[in-house]
Amino acid sequence: MTPPQTPQTIRTIQETHVTTGATVWLTGLPSAGKTTIAHELAGRLREQGHRVEVLDGDEIREFLSAGLGFSREDRHTNVQRIGFVAELLARNGVLALVPVIAPYRDSREAVRRRHQAHGTAYVEVHVATPVEVCSERDVKGLYAKQAAGELTGLTGVDDPYEAPESPDLRIESQNQTVQESAASVYALLTERGLA
């Protein structure tokens, strides 16, 4: 029979039980499946006892980056803010899942460098769903609005998207289930000792 845990032994256990954090950045076009995969992965990681936060791009825009537009400069600022929060969480033992378009390579590389400077794990996942599939899914109706002339600056259509040249993982979500996509990210995290 094990002795009862006192506040002191609980504190000692908490101090010696280090949870590895990391940022998992899921980049891809609108309606590629980034957020859906992130939430599926988050559920799986939580079941395994990990501390997880999903930093959804739409929520960040509403609460952290309100007032920013969609110019290249504003998009860069938005990505850097998200990257700062993700690295802070990851540095403190949280697995930060970031399903955010982040259309420009230099913005994503700046986030990677921030993580490297702090010795924080960073994994880039390219959800490489073709624009034709994304426009069929059209989860938020953005492609329909763009086609009707009600919206301009849609990433991957009339605004650039610079796909990662060498992501840690590339997912073609049109060829697998959400569960399979999440499992492939989970497998990579496990292989790297992060899950």
Side-chain angles (χ1 to χ4, degrees):
M1 184 172 169
T2 56
Q5 293 185 342
T6 66
Q8 178 61 38
T9 59
I10 291 171
R11 193 166 35 256
T12 302
I13 290 168
Q14 289 171 340
E15 289 171 1
T16 57
H17 178 73
V18 178
T19 304
T20 302
T23 294
V24 180
W25 198 292
L26 296 98
T27 179
L29 297 174
S31 297
K34 302 176 300 295
T35 302
T36 306
I37 293 167
H39 282 290
E40 179 70 25
L41 177 60
R44 184 168 184 175
L45 289 165
R46 286 183 183 118
E47 285 174 5
Q48 300 297 318
H50 293 281
R51 294 167 46 204
V52 182
E53 289 294 335
V54 177
L55 301 180
D56 180 84
D58 292 334
E59 291 175 0
I60 295 290
R61 276 231 174 239
E62 181 179 352
F63 297 107
L64 190 63
S65 294
L68 289 180
F70 291 90
S71 68
R72 184 178 180 115
E73 296 77 21
D74 282 358
R75 288 178 191 253
H76 179 77
T77 299
N78 185 49
V79 168
Q80 297 317 298
R81 288 177 182 177
I82 298 167
F84 172 80
V85 172
E87 195 281 325
L88 189 64
L89 288 168
R91 184 176 358 144
N92 286 283
V94 176
L95 287 170
L97 309 182
V98 186
V100 173
I101 295 168
Y104 301 109
R105 280 189 202 103
D106 60 345
S107 296
R108 294 190 305 265
E109 278 308 306
V111 171
R112 182 186 294 275
R113 284 192 304 274
R114 168 182 288 285
H115 282 70
Q116 288 171 339
H118 290 278
T120 307
Y122 179 85
V123 176
E124 184 178 65
V125 177
H126 180 205
V127 184
T129 310
V131 69
E132 302 78 29
V133 175
C134 294
S135 65
E136 286 172 19
R137 291 177 180 171
D138 204 9
V139 178
K140 299 172 192 164
L142 299 176
Y143 293 93
K145 285 180 182 175
Q146 193 276 336
E150 299 169 18
L151 176 73
T152 58
L154 181 59
T155 302
V157 178
D158 59 354
D159 212 51
Y161 176 74
E162 300 171 354
E165 293 173 346
S166 54
D168 297 286
L169 178 66
R170 189 177 316 277
I171 293 174
E172 295 182 2
S173 72
Q174 73 279 11
N175 297 330
Q176 55 190 192
T177 66
V178 172
Q179 292 76 18
E180 289 170 334
S181 295
S184 64
V185 183
Y186 185 85
L188 177 63
L189 293 175
T190 301
E191 176 185 306
R192 295 193 177 179
L194 301 170

